[in-house]
Short mmCIF file of all heavy atoms in Angstrom, two decimals:
data_model
loop_
_atom_site.label_atom_id
_atom_site.label_comp_id
_atom_site.label_asym_id
_atom_site.label_seq_id
_atom_site.Cartn_x
_atom_site.Cartn_y
_atom_site.Cartn_z
N ILE B 34 0.25 4.69 -16.23
CA ILE B 34 0.59 5.97 -15.33
C ILE B 34 0.60 5.57 -13.85
O ILE B 34 -0.37 5.10 -13.24
CB ILE B 34 -0.55 6.97 -15.58
CG1 ILE B 34 -0.66 7.35 -17.07
CG2 ILE B 34 -0.19 8.25 -14.75
CD1 ILE B 34 -1.63 8.39 -17.34
N GLY B 35 1.86 5.77 -13.33
CA GLY B 35 2.11 5.38 -11.92
C GLY B 35 3.09 4.22 -11.92
O GLY B 35 2.75 2.98 -12.43
N ALA B 36 4.34 4.46 -11.56
CA ALA B 36 5.43 3.46 -11.72
C ALA B 36 5.77 2.85 -10.33
O ALA B 36 6.72 3.23 -9.77
CB ALA B 36 6.60 4.04 -12.43
N SER B 37 4.84 2.26 -9.66
CA SER B 37 5.16 1.66 -8.50
C SER B 37 4.76 0.09 -8.41
O SER B 37 4.72 -0.51 -9.44
CB SER B 37 4.33 2.40 -7.40
OG SER B 37 4.56 2.00 -6.13
N GLN B 38 4.28 -0.38 -7.22
CA GLN B 38 4.06 -1.76 -7.17
C GLN B 38 3.08 -2.40 -8.23
O GLN B 38 3.41 -3.34 -8.78
CB GLN B 38 3.40 -2.05 -5.74
CG GLN B 38 3.38 -3.51 -5.36
CD GLN B 38 4.62 -3.92 -4.76
OE1 GLN B 38 5.24 -3.45 -3.83
NE2 GLN B 38 5.03 -5.18 -5.18
N SER B 39 1.99 -1.72 -8.42
CA SER B 39 0.99 -2.26 -9.38
C SER B 39 1.39 -1.99 -10.79
O SER B 39 1.27 -2.93 -11.70
CB SER B 39 -0.43 -1.85 -9.16
OG SER B 39 -0.51 -0.44 -9.06
N GLY B 40 1.90 -0.85 -11.08
CA GLY B 40 2.45 -0.60 -12.46
C GLY B 40 3.64 -1.50 -12.93
O GLY B 40 3.53 -1.98 -14.08
N LEU B 59 5.25 5.01 -16.63
CA LEU B 59 5.57 6.47 -16.40
C LEU B 59 5.18 6.83 -14.94
O LEU B 59 4.04 6.43 -14.42
CB LEU B 59 4.80 7.28 -17.38
CG LEU B 59 4.78 8.89 -17.19
CD1 LEU B 59 4.75 9.47 -18.64
CD2 LEU B 59 3.74 9.32 -16.25
N GLY B 60 6.02 7.50 -14.26
CA GLY B 60 5.61 8.02 -12.91
C GLY B 60 6.21 9.34 -12.56
O GLY B 60 7.15 9.84 -13.36
N ASP B 61 5.67 10.00 -11.65
CA ASP B 61 6.17 11.29 -11.32
C ASP B 61 7.32 11.39 -10.32
O ASP B 61 7.97 12.47 -10.17
CB ASP B 61 4.92 12.17 -10.68
CG ASP B 61 4.41 11.49 -9.38
OD1 ASP B 61 4.54 10.30 -9.22
OD2 ASP B 61 3.78 12.25 -8.57
N GLU B 62 7.64 10.32 -9.83
CA GLU B 62 8.88 10.30 -8.86
C GLU B 62 10.06 10.18 -9.56
O GLU B 62 10.13 9.69 -10.68
CB GLU B 62 8.69 9.08 -7.81
CG GLU B 62 7.43 9.24 -7.02
CD GLU B 62 7.39 8.06 -5.94
OE1 GLU B 62 8.34 8.07 -4.99
OE2 GLU B 62 6.50 7.26 -5.89
N ARG B 69 7.73 0.17 -1.30
CA ARG B 69 7.37 0.96 -0.28
C ARG B 69 7.44 0.42 1.08
O ARG B 69 7.80 1.14 2.14
CB ARG B 69 5.97 1.67 -0.47
CG ARG B 69 5.91 2.60 -1.54
CD ARG B 69 4.60 3.08 -1.90
NE ARG B 69 4.62 3.64 -3.16
CZ ARG B 69 5.03 4.78 -3.64
NH1 ARG B 69 5.17 5.63 -2.84
NH2 ARG B 69 5.05 5.12 -4.94
N PRO B 70 6.99 -0.86 1.32
CA PRO B 70 6.96 -1.37 2.75
C PRO B 70 8.25 -1.06 3.64
O PRO B 70 8.01 -0.67 4.88
CB PRO B 70 6.73 -2.85 2.53
CG PRO B 70 5.95 -2.91 1.25
CD PRO B 70 6.56 -1.83 0.38
N LEU B 72 9.96 1.49 3.76
CA LEU B 72 10.10 2.82 4.08
C LEU B 72 9.90 3.17 5.58
O LEU B 72 10.45 3.95 6.25
CB LEU B 72 9.28 3.71 3.33
CG LEU B 72 9.51 3.73 1.76
CD1 LEU B 72 8.58 4.72 1.00
CD2 LEU B 72 10.96 3.97 1.39
N SER B 73 8.83 2.43 6.19
CA SER B 73 8.51 2.62 7.56
C SER B 73 9.19 1.63 8.51
O SER B 73 9.11 1.76 9.67
CB SER B 73 7.06 2.48 7.78
OG SER B 73 6.66 1.19 7.17
N LYS B 74 10.04 0.79 7.86
CA LYS B 74 10.70 -0.30 8.65
C LYS B 74 12.23 -0.19 8.42
O LYS B 74 12.85 0.64 8.89
CB LYS B 74 10.13 -1.71 8.30
CG LYS B 74 8.54 -1.70 8.24
CD LYS B 74 7.99 -3.01 7.72
CE LYS B 74 6.46 -3.02 7.50
NZ LYS B 74 6.06 -2.46 6.26
N GLU B 105 7.66 12.62 -14.51
CA GLU B 105 6.69 13.22 -15.29
C GLU B 105 5.28 13.13 -14.56
O GLU B 105 4.90 11.88 -14.40
CB GLU B 105 6.63 12.63 -16.67
CG GLU B 105 7.88 12.96 -17.49
CD GLU B 105 7.96 14.41 -17.92
OE1 GLU B 105 7.06 15.28 -17.77
OE2 GLU B 105 9.16 14.82 -18.24
N TYR B 106 4.65 14.20 -14.30
CA TYR B 106 3.36 14.07 -13.72
C TYR B 106 2.32 14.45 -14.67
O TYR B 106 2.30 15.46 -15.31
CB TYR B 106 3.24 15.17 -12.52
CG TYR B 106 1.99 15.15 -11.72
CD1 TYR B 106 1.70 14.02 -10.90
CD2 TYR B 106 1.10 16.09 -11.83
CE1 TYR B 106 0.56 14.06 -10.13
CE2 TYR B 106 -0.12 16.05 -11.12
CZ TYR B 106 -0.36 14.97 -10.39
OH TYR B 106 -1.49 14.90 -9.66
N ILE B 107 1.41 13.42 -14.83
CA ILE B 107 0.30 13.60 -15.87
C ILE B 107 -0.82 14.42 -15.30
O ILE B 107 -1.32 14.17 -14.23
CB ILE B 107 -0.22 12.25 -16.33
CG1 ILE B 107 0.92 11.38 -16.95
CG2 ILE B 107 -1.29 12.38 -17.27
CD1 ILE B 107 1.56 11.97 -18.19
N THR B 136 -2.47 3.27 -12.70
CA THR B 136 -1.83 2.71 -11.46
C THR B 136 -1.37 3.73 -10.56
O THR B 136 -0.20 3.64 -10.07
CB THR B 136 -0.81 1.63 -11.79
OG1 THR B 136 0.25 2.33 -12.44
CG2 THR B 136 -1.26 0.62 -12.68
N VAL B 137 -2.11 4.76 -10.25
CA VAL B 137 -1.81 5.97 -9.68
C VAL B 137 -1.83 5.92 -8.13
O VAL B 137 -1.38 6.98 -7.56
CB VAL B 137 -2.64 7.25 -10.21
CG1 VAL B 137 -2.19 7.54 -11.62
CG2 VAL B 137 -4.22 6.84 -10.15
N GLY B 138 -2.24 4.87 -7.56
CA GLY B 138 -2.14 4.77 -6.13
C GLY B 138 -2.96 5.69 -5.28
O GLY B 138 -3.96 6.10 -5.69
N ALA B 139 -2.34 5.99 -4.15
CA ALA B 139 -3.00 6.88 -3.27
C ALA B 139 -1.98 7.92 -2.59
O ALA B 139 -0.84 7.71 -2.70
CB ALA B 139 -3.65 6.11 -2.15
N LEU B 157 4.45 10.02 5.41
CA LEU B 157 5.29 8.85 4.87
C LEU B 157 4.52 8.11 3.98
O LEU B 157 3.81 7.07 4.27
CB LEU B 157 5.70 8.02 6.16
CG LEU B 157 6.77 6.81 5.82
CD1 LEU B 157 7.94 7.39 5.02
CD2 LEU B 157 7.12 6.23 7.15
N ARG B 158 4.66 8.49 2.64
CA ARG B 158 3.98 7.85 1.58
C ARG B 158 4.97 7.27 0.52
O ARG B 158 4.96 6.23 -0.09
CB ARG B 158 2.97 8.54 0.91
CG ARG B 158 2.34 8.02 -0.34
CD ARG B 158 1.39 6.76 0.16
NE ARG B 158 1.00 5.92 -1.00
CZ ARG B 158 0.36 4.84 -0.97
NH1 ARG B 158 -0.03 4.40 0.45
NH2 ARG B 158 0.03 4.05 -1.90
N ILE B 184 0.88 2.13 9.32
CA ILE B 184 1.98 2.91 8.99
C ILE B 184 2.48 3.68 10.21
O ILE B 184 3.71 3.76 10.60
CB ILE B 184 1.73 4.01 7.86
CG1 ILE B 184 1.16 3.20 6.68
CG2 ILE B 184 3.01 4.84 7.52
CD1 ILE B 184 2.13 3.00 5.46
N GLU B 187 4.09 1.16 12.52
CA GLU B 187 5.28 0.68 12.09
C GLU B 187 6.44 1.80 12.32
O GLU B 187 7.64 1.37 12.76
CB GLU B 187 5.31 0.35 10.59
CG GLU B 187 4.48 -0.89 10.35
CD GLU B 187 4.24 -1.25 8.84
OE1 GLU B 187 4.87 -0.55 8.09
OE2 GLU B 187 3.59 -2.18 8.47
N ASN B 279 -5.96 8.39 -5.63
CA ASN B 279 -5.66 9.43 -6.62
C ASN B 279 -6.71 9.12 -7.80
O ASN B 279 -6.51 8.20 -8.56
CB ASN B 279 -4.30 9.44 -7.24
CG ASN B 279 -3.37 9.81 -6.16
OD1 ASN B 279 -3.59 10.78 -5.45
ND2 ASN B 279 -2.18 9.19 -6.04
N LEU B 282 -7.55 12.09 -12.39
CA LEU B 282 -7.53 11.75 -13.83
C LEU B 282 -8.67 10.89 -14.37
O LEU B 282 -9.24 11.29 -15.38
CB LEU B 282 -6.16 11.01 -14.15
CG LEU B 282 -4.85 11.67 -14.12
CD1 LEU B 282 -3.64 10.85 -14.20
CD2 LEU B 282 -4.77 12.92 -15.08
N ILE B 310 -5.91 -0.39 -11.30
CA ILE B 310 -5.57 -1.48 -10.38
C ILE B 310 -4.83 -0.91 -9.19
O ILE B 310 -4.23 0.27 -9.21
CB ILE B 310 -4.70 -2.55 -10.99
CG1 ILE B 310 -3.45 -1.86 -11.68
CG2 ILE B 310 -5.44 -3.37 -12.01
CD1 ILE B 310 -2.50 -2.84 -12.16
N GLY B 311 -4.73 -1.72 -8.20
CA GLY B 311 -3.93 -1.41 -6.90
C GLY B 311 -4.71 -0.52 -6.03
O GLY B 311 -5.87 -0.43 -5.95
N ASP B 312 -3.99 0.41 -5.24
CA ASP B 312 -4.51 1.23 -4.24
C ASP B 312 -5.62 2.18 -4.73
O ASP B 312 -6.49 2.73 -4.15
CB ASP B 312 -3.40 1.98 -3.57
CG ASP B 312 -2.65 1.30 -2.41
OD1 ASP B 312 -2.69 0.14 -2.55
OD2 ASP B 312 -1.91 1.98 -1.70
N GLU B 332 -5.45 -1.73 0.09
CA GLU B 332 -4.13 -1.09 0.03
C GLU B 332 -2.98 -2.00 0.58
O GLU B 332 -2.79 -2.19 1.73
CB GLU B 332 -4.14 0.11 0.95
CG GLU B 332 -5.16 1.19 0.60
CD GLU B 332 -5.44 2.17 1.74
OE1 GLU B 332 -4.81 2.11 2.71
OE2 GLU B 332 -6.47 2.95 1.61
N SER B 333 -2.58 -2.89 -0.34
CA SER B 333 -1.50 -3.87 0.13
C SER B 333 -0.72 -4.33 -1.16
O SER B 333 -1.16 -4.15 -2.31
CB SER B 333 -2.16 -5.09 0.72
OG SER B 333 -2.88 -5.85 -0.26
N VAL B 334 0.46 -4.72 -0.92
CA VAL B 334 1.37 -5.20 -1.97
C VAL B 334 0.60 -6.49 -2.50
O VAL B 334 0.71 -6.61 -3.81
CB VAL B 334 2.73 -5.61 -1.26
CG1 VAL B 334 3.44 -6.49 -2.25
CG2 VAL B 334 3.54 -4.49 -0.80
N ALA B 337 -1.92 -5.33 -4.98
CA ALA B 337 -1.28 -4.69 -6.10
C ALA B 337 -0.83 -5.75 -7.10
O ALA B 337 -1.04 -5.67 -8.32
CB ALA B 337 -0.17 -3.72 -5.71
N PHE B 361 -2.09 -9.75 3.96
CA PHE B 361 -1.28 -8.41 4.29
C PHE B 361 -0.37 -8.67 5.37
O PHE B 361 -0.55 -9.61 6.21
CB PHE B 361 -2.38 -7.44 4.78
CG PHE B 361 -1.83 -6.13 5.19
CD1 PHE B 361 -1.40 -5.08 4.24
CD2 PHE B 361 -1.59 -5.85 6.53
CE1 PHE B 361 -0.94 -3.90 4.64
CE2 PHE B 361 -0.97 -4.52 6.96
CZ PHE B 361 -0.69 -3.67 6.00
N TRP B 362 0.71 -7.94 5.50
CA TRP B 362 1.54 -8.17 6.61
C TRP B 362 1.92 -6.71 7.15
O TRP B 362 1.97 -5.70 6.30
CB TRP B 362 2.87 -8.83 6.31
CG TRP B 362 3.89 -8.13 5.68
CD1 TRP B 362 4.97 -7.47 6.34
CD2 TRP B 362 4.12 -7.71 4.32
NE1 TRP B 362 5.81 -6.68 5.57
CE2 TRP B 362 5.26 -6.90 4.27
CE3 TRP B 362 3.36 -8.01 3.06
CZ2 TRP B 362 5.68 -6.30 3.03
CZ3 TRP B 362 3.87 -7.45 1.89
CH2 TRP B 362 5.04 -6.73 1.89
N SER B 363 2.32 -6.69 8.40
CA SER B 363 2.83 -5.50 9.01
C SER B 363 3.77 -5.84 10.08
O SER B 363 3.41 -6.58 11.04
CB SER B 363 1.68 -4.59 9.60
OG SER B 363 2.14 -3.53 10.33
C1 FAD K 501 5.49 3.35 4.30
C2 FAD K 501 4.61 2.24 3.73
C3 FAD K 501 4.68 0.95 4.20
C4 FAD K 501 3.90 0.07 3.74
N1 FAD K 501 3.93 -1.34 4.15
C5 FAD K 501 3.24 -2.18 3.63
C6 FAD K 501 3.32 -3.60 4.22
O1 FAD K 501 4.01 -3.95 5.09
N2 FAD K 501 2.56 -4.61 3.66
C7 FAD K 501 1.78 -4.37 2.50
O2 FAD K 501 1.10 -5.28 2.06
N3 FAD K 501 1.60 -3.09 2.11
C8 FAD K 501 2.24 -2.09 2.61
N4 FAD K 501 2.21 -0.80 2.05
C9 FAD K 501 1.24 -0.48 1.10
C10 FAD K 501 1.77 -0.80 -0.37
O3 FAD K 501 3.00 -0.21 -0.45
C11 FAD K 501 0.78 -0.16 -1.31
O4 FAD K 501 -0.43 -0.95 -1.21
C12 FAD K 501 1.32 -0.30 -2.81
O5 FAD K 501 2.56 0.50 -2.93
C13 FAD K 501 0.33 0.10 -3.72
O6 FAD K 501 0.86 0.12 -5.07
P1 FAD K 501 0.21 1.08 -6.21
O7 FAD K 501 1.16 0.71 -7.38
O8 FAD K 501 -1.20 0.71 -6.32
O9 FAD K 501 0.19 2.45 -5.67
P2 FAD K 501 1.42 3.44 -5.26
O10 FAD K 501 2.52 2.65 -4.58
O11 FAD K 501 0.76 4.53 -4.46
O12 FAD K 501 2.12 3.99 -6.60
C14 FAD K 501 1.28 5.01 -7.34
C15 FAD K 501 2.40 5.84 -8.11
O13 FAD K 501 1.68 6.60 -9.06
C16 FAD K 501 2.23 7.84 -9.06
N5 FAD K 501 1.38 8.80 -9.62
C17 FAD K 501 0.25 9.25 -9.04
N6 FAD K 501 -0.45 10.07 -9.89
C18 FAD K 501 0.35 10.23 -10.92
C19 FAD K 501 0.28 11.13 -12.12
N7 FAD K 501 -0.89 11.91 -12.30
N8 FAD K 501 1.28 11.11 -12.97
C20 FAD K 501 2.30 10.40 -12.74
N9 FAD K 501 2.47 9.51 -11.72
C21 FAD K 501 1.54 9.54 -10.80
C22 FAD K 501 2.65 8.08 -7.54
O14 FAD K 501 3.52 9.13 -7.32
C23 FAD K 501 3.24 6.66 -7.18
O15 FAD K 501 4.59 6.65 -7.47
C24 FAD K 501 3.02 0.21 2.67
C25 FAD K 501 2.89 1.49 2.11
C26 FAD K 501 3.69 2.49 2.60
C27 FAD K 501 3.59 3.96 2.12
#
Side-chain angles (χ1 to χ4, degrees):
I34 302 179
S37 182
Q38 191 83 49
S39 58
L59 175 149
D61 60 338
E62 297 186 61
R69 286 174 205 274
L72 299 182
S73 49
K74 312 174 185 84
E105 293 290 347
Y106 184 71
I107 299 300
T136 60
V137 286
L157 185 49
R158 178 66 196 177
I184 304 251
E187 288 176 5
N279 291 321
L282 290 173
I310 53 172
D312 280 20
E332 297 162 11
S333 73
V334 165
F361 179 80
W362 85 93
S363 173

